[in-house]
Amino acid sequence: GENVEQHPSTLSVQEGDSAVIKCTYSDSASNYFPWYKQELGKGPQLIIDIRSNVGEKKDQRIAVTLNKTAKHFSLHITETQPEDSAVYFCAASSEGTYKYIFGTGTRLKVLA
Amino acid sequence: DAGVIQSPRHEVTEMGQEVTLRCKPISGHNSLFWYRQTMMRGLELLIYFNNNVPIDDSGMPEDRFSAKMPNASFSTLKIQPSEPRDSAVYFCASSLRQGGTEAFFGQGTRLTVV
């Protein structure tokens, strides 16, 4: 069935270093890939998304890349700051279906 | 818009009691989702509504769980009777249309059944 795998489950980086989180999806019909950030006690919030007609998208320190052939997409955070510490979820969805298939989450810790 | 609004934020109840969680989606959104989040299972989709109609409730754990959406601005998730294993954070989310667009999440309801 439809599945999104996410790695790593935990990630610790020094402040100022980069962090990379990777996801793999199984449904070839998926064409929308959002990334959510969840802070303690809050609901997931969208931080960046990418559609299948684009290979890369950047928003300040955050970037997402998509390899449709390999069914991989990744989140890149540069110059990490302590406030980047949170749980990050990737997801895959497609037009015409309602399902957002979420990855299992990555707990990112940025060490000051 | 204030975003997706859920109430209560926290609920502690005794096993066997009825629990009702409430959600107000973003105005104009026609898709509404109920998710359950636990450490063991992550984010699980419980039920999905489109234009107030339940489309897929295959994620609802068992008959103790029920959900309604009487109008475009209100939905409830009810657990009767509640059990300790129902303890989790329950999220409501809404989106403008099916798939392919951002889903906005509420702050969640942390349910503890003792």
Side-chain angles (χ1 to χ4, degrees), chain A:
Chain A
E2 300 149 339
N3 185 45
V4 173
E5 294 187 359
Q6 183 172 347
H7 300 281
S9 56
T10 60
L11 179 60
S12 293
V13 299
Q14 289 293 133
E15 183 178 359
D17 287 350
S18 296
V20 180
I21 303 170
K22 299 181 178 181
C23 288
T24 304
Y25 62 98
S26 61
D27 185 359
S28 57
S30 297
N31 61 359
Y32 175 67
F33 307 92
W35 284 89
Y36 286 85
K37 176 183 181 182
Q38 185 176 25
E39 297 177 328
L40 195 62
K42 297 185 177 181
Q45 280 197 303
L46 183 80
I47 55 171
I48 195 168
D49 56 11
I50 191 168
R51 298 189 183 277
S52 58
N53 58 348
V54 175
E56 183 173 0
K57 184 177 179 181
K58 191 173 182 180
D59 182 3
Q60 299 182 338
R61 297 186 297 107
I62 295 172
V64 58
T65 59
L66 172 65
N67 182 331
K68 281 190 64 179
T69 303
K71 297 183 186 174
H72 290 168
F73 58 115
S74 301
L75 177 71
H76 304 253
I77 306 173
T78 59
E79 301 172 22
T80 53
Q81 301 167 3
E83 51 265 38
D84 294 330
S85 296
V87 179
Y88 291 82
F89 292 94
C90 63
S93 177
S94 60
E95 294 278 357
T97 74
Y98 57 87
K99 287 189 175 181
Y100 297 79
I101 308 299
F102 284 88
T104 49
T106 296
R107 183 174 298 278
L108 173 64
K109 293 183 182 179
V110 180
L111 308 172

Side-chain angles (χ1 to χ4, degrees), chain B residues 70-81:
Chain B
N71 56 61
S73 59
F74 185 65
S75 177
T76 60
L77 178 68
K78 185 178 293 186
I79 308 173
Q80 166 64 19

Side-chain angles (χ1 to χ4, degrees), chain B:
Chain B
D1 201 311
V4 176
I5 300 173
Q6 291 186 247
S7 64
R9 289 295 311 276
H10 303 275
E11 178 79 38
V12 180
T13 190
E14 291 186 347
M15 181 174 64
Q17 296 298 306
E18 177 180 296
V19 175
T20 299
L21 311 181
R22 296 173 175 79
C23 175
K24 182 181 186 304
I26 292 173
S27 177
H29 283 191
N30 63 4
S31 293
L32 184 139
F33 311 83
W34 281 101
Y35 285 90
R36 178 171 67 177
Q37 185 177 40
T38 61
M39 287 294 293
M40 291 298 294
R41 302 171 72 91
L43 275 165
E44 299 176 275
L45 178 64
L46 300 178
I47 188 168
Y48 159 71
F49 290 87
N50 188 49
N51 292 325
N52 312 337
V53 176
I55 303 299
D56 185 352
D57 64 355
S58 60
M60 297 284 260
E62 45 199 276
D63 291 345
R64 297 185 297 106
F65 286 68
S66 62
K68 295 182 180 179
M69 193 165 185
N71 56 61
S73 59
F74 185 65
S75 177
T76 60
L77 178 68
K78 185 178 293 186
I79 308 173
Q80 166 64 19
S82 58
E83 297 183 3
R85 60 193 169 120
D86 302 330
S87 298
V89 181
Y90 291 81
F91 287 104
C92 176
S94 70
S95 68
L96 193 56
R97 61 178 185 269
Q98 298 187 84
T101 189
E102 179 182 358
F104 293 81
F105 282 78
Q107 296 276 54
T109 295
R110 180 174 293 277
L111 173 65
T112 303
V113 183
V114 298

